[in-house]
Amino acid sequence: MKFQAIKGVRDILPPESALWTRVEQTAHKVFGTFGFGEIRLPIFEPTNLFVRAVGGETDIVSKEMYTMPDQETAHIYGLQHSLVEWKIKSGDLQTAEAFQQLTVSLLVFIMQAQQENLIELEEVGLDAVNDLTTAAKELHDLISNRSDSAEALIWNQVAELVERIRLASGTLIVGDDLSLRPEATASVCRAYIEHGMQTLPGNVKLYYMGPMFRRERPQKGRYRQFYQIGAEVLGTSDAPGIDAEVIEMLMSFFERLKLKGAVLNINSIGDKNCRPAYVEKLRAELQKVRELLGADSQRRIETNPLRVLDSKLENEQGIIEKLPRIAEHLCADCRAHYDEVKRQLGLRGIAYQENWRLVRGLDYYMRTTFEITAPGLGSQNAVCGGGRYDGLVELLGGPAATKGIGFAIGTDRLVLSLQEAGEGETQGGPAGKAGGPDVYLAWFGAAAQSAAIGLARRLRDAGFVVELPAVEMKFGKSLGLADRLKALHAVIVGDNELAAGVFTVKRLSDGTQQKLAEAELFSYLRAARTA
Ligand code: ATP
Ligand code: MG
């Protein structure tokens, strides 16, 4: 059997991994200078955290999350899944009856789990359970009261009820479902609340880095396990200066990495005072052109009209350009906030483009939103998305006055863009060193092995990258390996060297060779390193 990585996930190997390390270390350094501290978060959380924070109607939550049952509710999850997947042939009332009985079992299990406090249903969950209960009862009555002559007649009704049960069973999330995190802002807010961080002085400034998981169609720059580096500012202030400083930090980070051609797009998407009216207006306008839109956009007219603005479909572009713009519908507070963010970006000398179509695919954003694109990435050219999310902490049960803003950088895409621009590590294995090891330590004979082990330790302590053969090799073969590993120097230890108290050092680029005592060897290697 041959194993392969799962579709959409990948290994990051040397020398690319050295670039990843450099990117991450730069983030630690730059974010640290802005007073941010690192938070390390769990990879999985209760599913409901993401349903609440990111939004149940978003693509991320409705179809991209990796969700699994927790042990205690696995039987419920299994039944739900069976109901959703069960095939019933047209007219097969016997199977429909078994399906109905399974639905009853599901409801009994849910009731028990509730009584044992294993689960606590949210409002949507309760709706689904009620729907399941009525549909199961109707289905039961329909099947048990039928007469032989009526079988064909009731099938349509049966099929409809079966479909209703499937739907309700699919939307039901029992309390302890777990999901691999599709993003980390929800977790940061959860942690903020859980640890009572609102009592800390000043704004709470946190950053994180690590893998996220979304079941998307894999392609260049889009993976199912991908990585983000993100930061969040939480506290009672929503001063535009915070927005501007967060963006400044981001741009400094990109600059430090020598990322070229990064473009900052900004927008304000209003708040709960002005956005609903705009969304309704947008929805009304979209209804008028419904027939001209693709299936995705048509669906979004109901679920999330703002997302239509995000469409990349060629034939929708002309239509979208004529839609009403949020900038013309901002309330006075949002307008003032946005103007001040722009002024503060100006104070910091940060160039930006205003992009009225910039909306984000997560429900929690409000007011300032931004995105950064970079070259070399094809159509997946966003390396960072972010924005303000003032109501989120409250939505998750935290203090009402809490404001928040943050961003998430797609590390995979950042790395890709750096590589495309020739800023990537192209050589080197350990610790991202250019070229191969500083020293290939060739030893010949048992006494030399022991001397070589000691020398290797002292060289490594001094920071040199040392390759020490684990077994004795013939001279030619050993030096041949040194060449293939692209070592800068071969240091040779044999009986002659031991007797004379020296080491033979050979520069492999030109073959020059000399005998040096240990102290001289160290100076020689140091000089070679800085040359
Ligand atoms: P996209 O336009 O790429 O779908 P998004 O709106 O889903 O982005 P966010 O959820 O805001 O993105 O995530 C922030 C950043 O994370 C993105 O700008 C992108 O760089 C990166 N990202 C998102 N999804 C993926 C993925 N599947 N693979 C790699 N990087 C991703
Ligand atoms: Mg996406």
Side-chain angles (χ1 to χ4, degrees), residues 480-499:
L481 181 57
D483 269 330
R484 282 188 289 135
L485 291 175
K486 299 195 169 63
L488 300 176
H489 305 92
V491 170
I492 298 156
V493 198
D495 290 337
N496 295 343
E497 281 82 6
L498 285 180

Side-chain angles (χ1 to χ4, degrees), residues 111-132:
M111 230 164 59
Q112 281 175 346
Q114 273 179 305
Q115 276 162 5
E116 288 163 31
N117 288 325
L118 291 178
I119 60 173
E120 197 182 320
L121 290 175
E122 300 256 322
E123 210 175 295
V124 240
L126 286 174
D127 286 349
V129 168
N130 289 337
D131 210 27
L132 280 173

Side-chain angles (χ1 to χ4, degrees), residues 59-60 64 214 216 222 307 360-361 413:
D59 286 355
I60 296 177
E64 295 173 0
R214 296 181 195 175
E216 304 195 72
R222 196 181 288 295
R307 281 296 273 176
R360 313 233 19 93
R413 293 186 196 173

Side-chain angles (χ1 to χ4, degrees), residues 60 64 182-183 212-217 219-228 307 310 312 359-362 364-365 370-372 377 379-386 407-414:
I60 296 177
E64 295 173 0
E183 59 100 59
M212 308 294 157
F213 306 86
R214 296 181 195 175
R215 189 187 272 113
E216 304 195 72
R217 195 168 69 77
Q219 51 195 289
K220 183 184 174 189
R222 196 181 288 295
Y223 310 100
R224 292 183 165 184
Q225 173 173 340
F226 63 102
Y227 295 78
Q228 286 186 336
R307 281 296 273 176
D310 213 18
K312 310 257 180 328
V359 293
R360 313 233 19 93
L362 299 84
Y364 51 63
Y365 285 113
F370 54 94
E371 189 169 274
I372 292 161
L377 299 173
S379 55
Q380 265 57 250
N381 66 347
V383 284
C384 175
F407 61 78
I409 298 163
T411 320
D412 305 78
R413 293 186 196 173
L414 173 58

